[in-house]
Amino acid sequence: MKFTVTSERPGNVKTGCVILGVYEHRTLSPAAAEFDNTTDGLLKKALKDGDMDGISGQTLMLHQPDGAKCERVMLVGCGKTGEFNLRSYQQAARSAALTVNASGADDAVSYLAELEVSERTSYQKVRTLVEEAHSVAYTPDALKSKKDKSLRPIRRLVISVDNADKASARKALADGEAIASGVELARTLGDLPGNICTPSYLADQARELGKSSEKLKVSVMSEAGMEKLGMGSLLSVSRGSRQPAKLITLKYDGGKAGVKPVALVGKGVTFDSGGISIKPGAAMDEMKYDMCGAASVLGTLKACIAMKLPINVVGIIPATENLPDGDASKPGDIVTSMSGQTIEILNTDAEGRLILCDALTYCGKYKPAAVIDIATLTGACVVALGSHAAGLLSNNDELANELLLAGEAADDRAWHMPLWEEYQPQLKSNFADMANIGGREAGTITAACFLSRFTEKYHWAHLDIAGVAWKGGDEKGATGRPVSLLTQFLIDRATG
Ligand code: BES
Ligand code: MN
Ligand code: ZN
């Protein structure tokens, strides 16, 4: 899909579809009122006839409007005037993109970036339009032998902005496309089944990404390398699998040499059966999404490359399967992590922390300015926060706040949870330095407590994305979250 900006007025523009906003109680936006004037009151008449009110998310398509040069005009409901905010704007952008794609139009000119939205700049509005247009065009049909021919996304979206905003709008187009390409990569990888998206496949994808930029260096460590470094915890998870584990490192040197990097560590369990502590059968297929943390690291780096972001980033992905086998870890087994700390594996289904702890220790060698791990870590996080916010836990409040703000700005939110000392005793083991589970209470927090024992040497934050990385049910599919949050965080760091 191609994106450009324009300042042509809606009545004059030649296109498959003009997209205009309408507020509740049939209140035309300024651009819609202009269009209405050139078409002799066409819009007011349609609204008066009761075809639409302007409720958030509604759309109305009118064909061959007399007096204008477009083939269609689409009205998009924006809700109550004055209440138009970030989220309702995103909803309007989304409905508009869905409806225009379902029409026969080849291209469209959108006037939605001209709408007044509280606390949103023109740059942000344009980015939302681009990101939503990309997002609705994604279909997880890579493995369908017959593609759905009724899906015909528009090929070109032109976005109207004030002349004064044109430069920032062009930047927003480029950034929006960069982020959308990262989100799309994360979704594509997430949606792939476990028999295709294996640890080796993730490593190949990382190498592919490496080919796209001089600034990205990719290396892949084998199990023998992990053995040498003493990663007994990571290796204990892959014991039960015939697919060898991989530790993938992606080094993006976009910033000045010698400036400390931000490290992103993504959980890459390409299928989580639970291991010997096997999971129940219902929805077990969704455990192919247990590598969405890894996918978000790859997606974020892809966006960094596309934006040529002036920052140093290291991506680290411990990738493995978690399967039951005669050689798999058993409850009660004790392993030694790279840090030297011993761990009693009381539940083999708490495998994410077992692979992350060694990756987090390893990551110390890059002397990171900050480390963020991203993991579909606990079912408890889905219970606590549902599918709206990622869980955020950190050993540094400033870093946590930066991430919260980035999430707000990118509309990819996280919620801060406590990481108090009081929770640590839940990890006590009679036989090892710690257990890998902390009992029934506060499962998301005790999982983070476990990780915190491996991150004392640097500023660290943990994003539990179990609730946000994919949707179940009829709309089952990866969301690409939290690529937007992470990219926004890096943009903010890079630009000070
Ligand atoms: N990958 C799962 C977490 C998960 C479960 C994410 C359901 C999304 C939906 C993780 O490896 C896991 O199994 N965690 C256990 C931990 C428990 C054994 C302490 C869980 O949450 O049940
Ligand atoms: Mn598990
Ligand atoms: Zn898991």
Side-chain angles (χ1 to χ4, degrees), residues 48-254:
K48 202 164 146 239
D49 289 347
D51 289 44
M52 184 187 179
D53 181 75
I55 291 168
S56 185
Q58 277 185 328
T59 59
L60 173 67
M61 189 76 89
L62 302 170
H63 294 261
Q64 307 296 346
D66 257 344
K69 294 183 184 148
C70 53
E71 291 159 30
R72 305 168 187 75
V73 56
M74 186 206 305
L75 299 182
V76 184
C78 298
K80 292 196 172 67
T81 26
E83 280 181 23
F84 205 32
N85 59 21
L86 160 60
R87 250 160 292 286
S88 43
Y89 185 73
Q90 196 206 358
Q91 197 184 353
R94 190 172 183 81
S95 322
L98 280 168
T99 310
V100 77
N101 283 350
S103 79
D106 245 11
D107 68 332
V109 182
S110 174
Y111 289 84
L112 300 183
E114 291 183 8
L115 299 170
E116 210 51 66
V117 184
S118 60
E119 290 174 41
R120 290 266 110 173
T121 61
S122 169
Y123 168 88
Q124 289 170 315
K125 288 183 282 185
V126 172
R127 234 180 71 180
T128 300
L129 293 180
V130 175
E131 289 173 40
E132 288 304 319
H134 266 285
S135 165
V136 304
Y138 171 85
T139 25
D141 62 359
L143 300 172
K144 292 202 185 203
S145 59
K146 290 193 188 70
K147 315 285 180 206
D148 184 350
K149 290 211 181 72
S150 73
L151 301 168
R152 251 177 21 92
I154 52 166
R155 281 196 282 239
R156 207 159 87 102
L157 181 66
V158 183
I159 298 171
S160 168
V161 293
D162 265 9
N163 261 322
D165 292 331
K166 265 196 172 161
S168 77
R170 289 211 175 89
K171 177 92 175 86
L173 290 187
D175 290 356
E177 287 206 76
I179 293 163
S181 76
V183 169
E184 185 182 350
L185 175 62
R187 292 177 79 179
T188 305
L189 292 174
D191 284 331
L192 282 174
N195 63 326
I196 292 179
C197 186
T198 59
S200 300
Y201 185 91
L202 283 180
D204 288 343
Q205 289 296 304
R207 289 193 190 98
E208 258 330 287
L209 196 58
K211 286 184 199 155
S212 72
S213 168
E214 295 264 281
K215 294 195 167 123
L216 190 71
K217 299 272 181 298
V218 177
S219 61
V220 179
M221 195 189 293
S222 66
E223 290 189 348
M226 299 175 216
E227 198 90 55
K228 269 196 204 132
L229 291 175
M231 297 185 170
S233 186
L234 201 178
L235 286 166
S236 77
V237 176
S238 88
R239 287 184 75 98
S241 160
R242 300 195 186 179
Q243 294 287 341
K246 303 284 173 190
L247 183 65
I248 308 164
T249 303
L250 306 99
K251 208 163 162 291
Y252 172 74
D253 294 317

Side-chain angles (χ1 to χ4, degrees), residues 272 279 349 351:
D272 180 12
K279 288 181 180 293
D349 198 8
E351 85 296 342

Side-chain angles (χ1 to χ4, degrees), residues 215-460:
K215 294 195 167 123
L216 190 71
K217 299 272 181 298
V218 177
S219 61
V220 179
M221 195 189 293
S222 66
E223 290 189 348
M226 299 175 216
E227 198 90 55
K228 269 196 204 132
L229 291 175
M231 297 185 170
S233 186
L234 201 178
L235 286 166
S236 77
V237 176
S238 88
R239 287 184 75 98
S241 160
R242 300 195 186 179
Q243 294 287 341
K246 303 284 173 190
L247 183 65
I248 308 164
T249 303
L250 306 99
K251 208 163 162 291
Y252 172 74
D253 294 317
K256 291 205 182 76
V259 175
K260 288 180 173 178
V262 170
L264 303 177
V265 180
K267 173 179 175 182
V269 174
T270 58
F271 189 77
D272 180 12
S273 71
I276 296 299
S277 315
I278 198 159
K279 288 181 180 293
M284 207 209 263
D285 67 290
E286 293 183 17
M287 282 298 116
K288 72 176 182 179
Y289 290 115
D290 213 18
M291 37 54 72
C292 282
S296 76
V297 172
L298 294 171
T300 302
L301 284 165
K302 183 167 187 180
C304 287
I305 292 169
M307 288 187 294
K308 300 194 170 64
L309 210 61
I311 189 170
N312 296 329
V313 184
V314 180
I316 294 178
I317 296 173
T320 177
E321 294 183 322
N322 185 23
L323 292 175
D325 179 79
D327 197 35
S329 290
K330 305 167 292 296
D333 285 2
I334 294 177
V335 297
T336 304
S337 67
M338 184 181 174
S339 72
Q341 300 177 91
T342 57
I343 303 161
E344 184 183 16
I345 302 175
L346 288 176
N347 189 320
T348 65
D349 198 8
E351 85 296 342
R353 60 198 80 180
L354 293 175
I355 69 169
L356 287 169
C357 70
D358 278 343
L360 287 165
T361 301
Y362 177 72
C363 151
K365 80 172 198 168
Y366 293 99
K367 303 263 172 287
V371 178
I372 302 157
D373 81 73
I374 309 103
T376 46
L377 205 63
T378 63
C381 195
V382 190
V383 175
L385 299 174
S387 59
H388 301 293
L392 166 65
L393 301 102
S394 177
N395 64 12
N396 181 272
D397 281 344
E398 249 173 87
L399 175 60
N401 279 332
E402 263 180 271
L403 286 161
L404 288 175
L405 288 175
E408 288 284 351
D411 196 19
D412 183 2
R413 287 187 293 178
W415 190 252
H416 200 172
M417 297 162 93
L419 191 63
W420 296 326
E421 277 302 312
E422 285 83 340
Y423 293 97
Q424 292 282 355
Q426 286 181 239
L427 294 173
K428 181 180 173 303
S429 159
N430 284 355
F431 310 105
D433 296 341
M434 70 193 89
N436 78 326
I437 54 171
R440 212 178 55 84
E441 291 178 5
T444 302
I445 297 172
T446 53
C449 283
F450 180 94
L451 297 177
S452 75
R453 297 175 179 214
F454 301 83
T455 60
E456 285 171 350
K457 295 198 179 120
Y458 46 68
H459 292 171
W460 158 77

